Amino acid sequence: ADGRIGVDWAAAQPPDGNTLLISNTSSHIFNRVLFRNLATPVTVWHNMVPMIRTPVVMAVSNQLAVTTWSEFLRVARSRPLNCAGSGASTVFVGKYMMRQLNIESVQFVPFRGTSDMITQLVAGNLDCAFETRFLTAALAQEQKLRVLAVSSQNPDPLAPEGRRFQDTVPGLVFYNWSGVSILRTVNADQRNRVFAALRGMAQDAQARSTMAALGVEVVSNPQINDAWLESEYQRWEQVRQQLNIGQLD
């Protein structure tokens, strides 16, 4: 349920500092955008976010006769295509990108999870998908699918000519991220010790190297970042309204 069950469970635990929530893009941004009433508001947490992040890629099936972003746009403007994202964030990014490009022929197909979606993409039953780099890089390197563009700030060698989303849609930079949240009712000394330990982990060279090999960036100096969270929520709430996506109860 996009993390809602886990969030509610963690919020109900004693505020002794022994329970940490692995918060992420869904739990702290897109659930707020999609659901009118959440049982646990984000305001109950102190949030060190983001701690790690990975961009989203736009990938196509090998059965689709395109090898570059320009070729994809040409095909997408000439005939219907089936696309997908495995979660709210990737679907939002994909739909927003197509809206900005005035492409109406790309239809998003719902999937229950990443595994089924990727299986259908590799099999050629799905034309394209928006998914994290973390989950698609190995498949692209094995030539089981093709990555055409990446949502990162900097060019990525995984995409032809380092193509980024923002090269086509100015300002479209996006990362799926994870962080750590702790209840605001936890004693300040306990909370500070936890966050200090997490900052130390973020500086560990071996940990950073291991995560980088997986396509995941470790944020070097993670902060308690409530203002950034709110700005990200406002950004994607505006997109929801632009896309005319209704909220759920």
Side-chain angles (χ1 to χ4, degrees):
D2 291 317
R4 284 175 289 150
I5 293 173
V7 168
D8 294 345
W9 180 88
Q13 301 312 299
D16 53 15
N18 292 322
T19 300
L20 303 178
L21 174 70
I22 305 302
S23 47
N24 56 42
T25 321
S26 290
S27 69
H28 277 37
I29 302 296
F30 285 95
N31 284 352
R32 294 176 65 194
V33 171
L34 284 172
F35 295 96
R36 292 189 184 90
N37 299 300
L38 293 174
T40 303
V42 72
T43 51
V44 307
W45 307 104
H46 277 296
N47 305 291
M48 182 171 280
V49 295
M51 289 196 65
I52 60 172
R53 65 181 193 173
T54 183
V56 168
V57 307
M58 193 280 186
V60 297
S61 165
N62 287 335
Q63 306 303 314
L64 190 67
V66 301
T67 58
T68 67
W69 180 245
S70 297
E71 290 174 356
F72 172 80
L73 293 180
R74 175 179 53 78
V75 171
R77 290 189 169 109
S78 66
R79 66 178 179 87
L81 296 176
N82 290 322
C83 199
S86 63
S89 60
T90 50
V91 170
F92 261 72
V93 170
K95 286 188 174 183
Y96 176 70
M97 193 172 197
M98 294 301 108
R99 172 67 65 87
Q100 295 301 106
L101 295 172
N102 294 314
I103 295 175
E104 299 180 356
S105 56
V106 173
Q107 301 298 315
F108 279 77
V109 181
F111 280 89
R112 291 184 179 275
T114 302
S115 178
D116 187 27
M117 184 194 74
I118 292 295
T119 298
Q120 297 304 317
L121 181 67
V122 171
N125 298 322
L126 187 66
D127 296 310
C128 56
F130 288 81
E131 188 48 85
T132 63
R133 190 191 194 284
F134 170 68
L135 292 173
T136 53
L139 292 169
Q141 291 161 358
E142 294 168 3
Q143 299 184 345
K144 294 182 178 180
L145 52 78
R146 289 193 289 271
V147 170
L148 301 186
V150 185
S151 68
S152 55
Q153 179 68 52
N154 299 315
D156 190 315
L158 200 63
E161 301 176 347
R163 172 68 64 174
R164 304 168 300 172
F165 289 12
Q166 63 177 322
D167 295 328
T168 307
V169 179
L172 184 51
V173 175
F174 180 80
Y175 293 85
N176 260 352
W177 53 262
S178 294
V180 173
S181 300
I182 192 168
L183 287 167
R184 288 184 181 271
T185 47
V186 169
N187 176 275
D189 288 339
Q190 289 177 297
R191 181 177 70 244
N192 292 337
R193 281 196 296 271
V194 169
F195 284 160
L198 291 170
R199 288 193 180 96
M201 291 173 58
Q203 299 294 332
D204 184 83
Q206 183 175 355
R208 295 175 67 84
S209 176
T210 299
M211 297 301 282
L214 296 172
V216 176
E217 176 189 352
V218 178
V219 177
S220 59
N221 188 29
Q223 301 296 314
I224 301 174
N225 221 341
D226 293 341
W228 177 80
L229 273 177
E230 184 61 24
S231 69
E232 283 293 286
Y233 162 70
Q234 293 295 340
R235 174 191 183 191
W236 292 103
E237 170 59 16
Q238 290 177 12
V239 170
R240 181 191 69 79
Q241 294 178 26
Q242 291 174 20
L243 297 175
N244 197 29
I245 296 175
Q247 289 184 299
L248 303 172
D249 292 321

